[in-house]
Each structure stands twice: as structure tokens, then as C-alpha cells.
């Protein structure tokens, strides 16, 4: 019976088979989108608009420093800000996000630290809010015997702000746990930048990076294992970046990753 005859008798057409459904569980990308005529279906348009809104919110929502302080309890936390006085200035002037303001610079203590961990907002405060403290706690458990400086929480911060923080505090290594630029598939992804012997003006070629730390990407435990290995190697070689090749074990990189619905 033809489609026209089916409609004439009041019967319903069988649902069109979706050959992409089995593949969608493996990716956050928009694959095999359905259509209505020459246009996308409403559900896909609305899903795109929702993702776009989440990406914008990730950039503009301020980091909840009070919540981070409460989560840390009695542990020592230092709060600093860059020379960018507000979010709009931060987005328009990346250079100001790389240097501390005067009050923050004067407030940083100096010591003999092996490493200082910094939790900056970056371009996704949501990522820092969710991922920074779990990774910091995981690293504290792995770095037995290391002299770890108080956690530094930085607002309106770019990656290079950590260089000035570590230089002022006297830390050999700085670890920046920063919110990555959000995309339309993931708005809460955190990246980690590791730098040995940082200084103001330090080039990006002197850093190692771990990226895509989020629910559907690199897990906290896997990121902590890889970061701990890199830090041990950095101390041994006394360098990071192009001089430190990432040949660490790949165990559990995507362990326990939730299925994508």
C-alpha cells in the first residue's frame, strides 16, 4: 500500500528508522540531525539554542568565590584578582588578565614551596567551580612529601597570571586549573597548565597542558594521575613544555565516562 493510501485510510506512517542513534552515545557532536523539509527539526534548533546559552553563561557568570571558600573549610585559601577590573575589560584586554593588581600582589606570601595550585575563572567559571577543587584534593593525596602552597583562587584571570603568582610566592611549579573556552558541545571543560620555574613573560612553549577535564571527557582521577607523573618528571628534568614529553601511562583516560543520551 502506498503512503497516500495509508493516509487516506487514516493509518499512520511507520516511524523513519534513525541509523545514527547507535553512534550518538559515543560523541557530544551533533551528528545525523533530523530535518523537516529543508529546515532542521524544532527539537534540534532548541537544543542548539540551549547549548549556545550555556556557553555564554559559562563566560559571563562570575566565579562563586564564597562557595569555594566554604568548600575548603578551615584550609588556607588566598584570593587574588588580575588588573582587569570587570568582566568586559577582561574579555577585551587579555593582557590585563595576565598581571595581578597591586593589592593582590602585595597580599601574596613568600615561602619555599614546591608547587602552588591556582583555581582561576578563565573563560568558563562553571568549569572551575565544578572541577578545580576535586582535582586539587586528588593532587594533594598524590603529592606526598611535596611542599604545597595554599590554594590561590583568581578572578578575571588568564593562564599567564599563574607565572606572577608563583614567582611572587617562591614556588618551583605552578598548576593553573582554569576554565576552558566553552563550545557548543561542552561549556564546563577545565584545562590544566603546568609550568616549571615560571616567571612574568614566560612563553607558552614552557608549559604542559591537560585539557577536556569534564563529565564526558578526562576524569578527575585520570587527570590527577597524568598530572602527578608530569610534575614528578618536571622536578627531575627541571623543565616543562617542549622539554617534557608526555609519555605517561594512558590508563583510565576515559574511565567511568557517562553514556551520552
Amino acid at each position: 500500500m502506498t503512503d497516500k493510501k495509508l493516509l487516506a485510510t487514516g493509518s499512520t506512517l511507520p516511524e523513519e528508522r534513525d541509523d545514527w542513534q547507535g553512534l550518538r552515545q559515543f560523541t557530544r557532536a551533533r551528528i545525523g540531525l533530523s530535518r523537516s523539509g529543508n529546515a532542521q527539526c524544532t527539537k534540534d534548533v532548541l537544543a542548539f539554542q540551549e547549548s549556545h546559552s550555556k556557553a555564554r553563561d559559562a563566560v559571563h557568570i562570575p566565579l562563586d568565590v564564597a562557595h569555594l571558600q566554604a568548600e575548603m573549610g578551615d584550609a588556607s585559601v588566598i584570593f587574588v584578582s588580575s588588573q582587569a577590573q570587570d568582566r568586559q575589560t577582561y574579555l577585551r584586554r587579555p593582557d590585563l588578565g595576565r598581571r595581578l593588581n597591586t593589592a593582590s600582589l602585595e597580599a601574596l606570601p613568600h615561602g619555599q614551596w614546591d608547587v602552588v595550585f591556582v583555581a582561576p575563572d578563565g573563560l568558563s567559571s562553571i568549569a572551575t567551580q565544578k572541577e578545580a577543587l576535586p582535582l586539587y584534593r586528588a593532587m594533594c593525596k598524590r603529592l606526598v612529601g611535596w611542599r604545597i602552597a595554599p590554594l590561590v583562587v583568581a578572578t578575571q584571570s588568564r593562564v599567564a597570571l599563574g607565572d606572577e603568582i608563583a614567582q611572587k610566592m617562591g614556588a618551583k611549579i605552578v598548576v593553573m586549573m582554569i576554565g576552558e573556552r566553552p563550545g557548543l558541545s561542552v561549556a564546563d571543560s577545565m584545562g590544566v597548565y603546568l609550568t616549571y620555574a615560571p616567571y612574568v613573560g614566560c612563553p607558552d612553549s614552557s608549559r604542559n597542558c591537560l585539557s577536556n577535564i569534564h563529565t564526558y571527557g578526562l576524569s578527575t582521577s585520570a587527570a590527577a594521575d597524568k598530572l602527578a607523573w608530569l610534575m614528578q618528571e618536571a622536578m627531575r628534568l627541571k623543565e616543562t613544555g617542549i622539554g617534557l614529553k608526555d609519555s605517561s601511562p594512558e590508563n583510565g583516560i576515559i574511565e567511568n565516562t557517562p553514556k551520552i543520551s
Side-chain angles (χ1 to χ4, degrees):
M1 185 180 292
T2 64
D3 292 348
K4 289 184 178 179
K5 289 181 179 179
L6 281 170
L7 293 173
T9 59
S11 301
T12 58
L13 288 171
E15 289 187 9
E16 183 179 351
R17 189 177 69 179
D18 186 356
D19 294 326
W20 292 92
Q21 186 57 42
L23 297 175
R24 291 195 184 100
Q25 63 179 309
F26 301 112
T27 179
R28 301 280 289 172
R30 291 171 171 79
I31 60 173
L33 299 182
S34 55
R35 67 180 186 177
S36 177
N38 292 325
Q40 291 184 354
C41 287
T42 301
K43 64 180 180 64
D44 294 324
V45 173
L46 293 177
F48 180 89
Q49 292 175 342
E50 180 185 18
S51 296
H52 186 253
S53 296
K54 288 180 178 179
R56 289 176 62 89
D57 287 345
V59 172
H60 292 287
I61 291 177
L63 186 66
D64 190 346
V65 294
H67 179 74
L68 290 177
Q69 174 71 81
E71 285 287 307
M72 287 295 292
D74 295 331
S76 179
V77 183
I78 301 171
F79 297 94
V80 299
S81 295
S82 73
Q83 294 178 7
Q85 297 180 352
D86 53 50
R87 200 61 177 170
Q88 292 304 315
T89 304
Y90 167 80
L91 295 174
R92 293 190 177 99
R93 292 286 305 274
D95 57 313
L96 296 180
R98 300 185 184 111
R99 298 301 300 269
L100 290 164
N101 61 34
T102 302
S104 297
L105 188 60
E106 293 176 349
L108 288 174
H110 188 277
Q112 298 299 316
W113 312 108
D114 291 320
V115 60
V116 58
F117 287 87
V118 184
D121 47 9
L123 289 170
S124 175
S125 61
I126 296 175
T128 303
Q129 201 82 50
K130 291 176 58 178
E131 305 291 347
L133 286 189
L135 180 60
Y136 172 72
R137 289 171 176 143
M139 292 308 301
C140 288
K141 293 179 181 179
R142 285 163 172 78
L143 300 176
V144 178
W146 284 57
R147 294 169 297 179
I148 302 174
L151 177 67
V152 177
V153 176
T155 54
Q156 317 301 3
S157 172
R158 301 282 175 170
V159 171
L161 191 74
D163 300 334
E164 189 169 27
I165 291 172
Q167 190 175 29
K168 178 65 165 60
M169 295 183 70
K172 295 179 181 178
I173 290 177
V174 61
V175 176
M176 294 290 281
M177 307 175 292
I178 191 168
E180 295 180 317
R181 185 186 306 275
L184 292 174
S185 58
V186 179
D188 56 356
S189 178
M190 187 179 75
V192 172
Y193 291 83
L194 170 68
T195 311
Y196 182 87
Y199 58 91
V200 174
C202 185
D204 289 338
S205 59
S206 295
R207 313 186 199 284
N208 289 84
C209 176
L210 299 177
S211 60
N212 293 310
I213 301 172
H214 58 87
T215 303
Y216 298 98
L218 189 63
S219 69
T220 298
S221 60
D225 288 342
K226 183 174 284 286
L227 180 57
W229 184 90
L230 286 169
M231 292 174 66
Q232 295 285 357
E233 287 296 289
M235 283 295 224
R236 182 178 68 85
L237 298 173
K238 300 189 184 315
E239 63 178 326
T240 48
I242 58 176
L244 173 56
K245 303 302 182 183
D246 183 3
S247 57
S248 63
E250 299 293 336
N251 296 339
I253 292 303
I254 37 181
E255 63 179 12
N256 300 323
T257 299
K259 181 177 287 189
I260 299 171
S261 57

